[in-house]
Amino acid sequence: MFVEIVFYCFAVLAIFGAWMVITARNPVKAVLALVFTFVMSAGVWMTTQAEFLALSLIVVYVGAVMVLFLFVVMMLDVDVAALKAGAARYLPIGLLVVLPIIALMIWQVGPEHFGSAIFGHKPVMHGANYSNTEALGELLYTRYVYEFILAAAILLVAMMAAICLAFRGPRSTRTQHPGKQVKVQARDRVRVVKMKSEKKTTGKSDE
């Protein structure tokens, strides 16, 4: 009973955070609300004994992606007045797109298609020595190993495609050559010149 209460508390707070993301007028506040939503979603996963997904959500999204988004939003010069005018103009189109999606989600996740009566069993509550990370890794690298390799290959191809699209050729200035930098020697960078010492005269006779 206590776990269910905590689950619904996290769920309500996550919905509230998601609502703040789309209604906040300040982009920085919207990003902070999205961070709050991710943390509450991690709490929901934690109550369902999905510790690995919860920690991954906090470490990857909150700790890396959302911090990057926050810096980008803070550095951009966002015209809030233009955003408000655009939002009011495209509100009917947004409602036409969002309402069917909400209806589809309610129909799909409802008790008629998503519940213990459909799957035939209730979620099993494991003990304190249960490791969700170990169970997920064992399933991922045995039963779904080919799908995992395929997903990794697709991500690698996507990364290479993004690099090829963004690369505009070597620049004429400020271009580094790592191969030449590794092969450089000290004699190529530093030259020692021997010079005779000269006595500096001050114009006064030494006593």
Side-chain angles (χ1 to χ4, degrees):
M1 187 64 182
F2 176 75
V3 177
E4 294 180 358
I5 295 175
V6 175
F7 173 85
Y8 284 112
C9 290
F10 279 124
V12 171
L13 291 176
I15 295 174
F16 173 75
W19 175 258
M20 291 297 296
V21 172
I22 61 177
T23 57
R25 298 181 178 181
N26 193 338
V28 177
K29 293 182 179 180
V31 174
L32 294 177
L34 187 57
V35 172
F36 176 79
T37 305
F38 283 155
V39 174
M40 294 301 105
S41 300
V44 171
W45 283 347
M46 191 70 71
T47 56
T48 57
Q49 294 189 344
E51 296 87 0
F52 179 78
L53 296 178
L55 295 177
S56 299
L57 182 62
I58 294 178
V59 173
V60 177
Y61 283 91
V62 178
V65 178
M66 293 313 304
V67 173
L68 177 62
F69 284 176
L70 183 60
F71 276 105
V72 171
V73 169
M74 292 176 65
M75 288 187 295
L76 292 178
D77 187 11
V78 180
D79 190 359
V80 180
L83 291 176
K84 293 179 183 178
R89 182 173 57 181
Y90 294 108
L91 182 59
I93 300 176
L95 292 177
L96 291 176
V97 175
V98 170
L99 291 179
I101 296 177
I102 294 177
L104 182 62
M105 292 175 60
I106 294 175
W107 174 73
Q108 185 65 32
V109 188
E112 296 180 357
H113 300 86
F114 193 82
S116 59
I118 303 298
F119 293 98
H121 60 85
K122 295 183 179 180
V124 180
M125 298 300 294
H126 300 278
N129 57 349
Y130 173 75
S131 176
N132 174 255
T133 306
E134 181 181 356
L136 184 61
E138 182 179 357
L139 185 63
L140 185 63
Y141 291 106
T142 55
R143 183 176 179 181
Y144 299 103
V145 61
Y146 295 108
E147 291 83 353
F148 179 77
I149 296 175
L150 181 61
I154 293 174
L155 292 175
L156 178 61
V157 172
M159 181 183 67
M160 295 173 61
I163 295 174
C164 293
L165 291 175
F167 184 68
R168 294 293 183 269
R171 300 179 180 179
S172 58
T173 59
R174 296 182 181 179
T175 301
Q176 296 184 0
H177 300 280
K180 296 181 180 180
Q181 294 174 356
V182 172
K183 296 179 181 179
V184 71
Q185 300 293 330
R187 60 177 177 270
D188 300 331
R189 298 293 184 182
V190 180
R191 185 178 62 177
V192 180
V193 179
K194 294 183 179 180
M195 299 180 63
K196 294 181 179 180
S197 61
E198 296 181 358
K199 184 177 180 182
K200 185 177 180 180
T201 59
T202 60
K204 296 181 179 180
S205 59
D206 298 335
E207 295 181 357

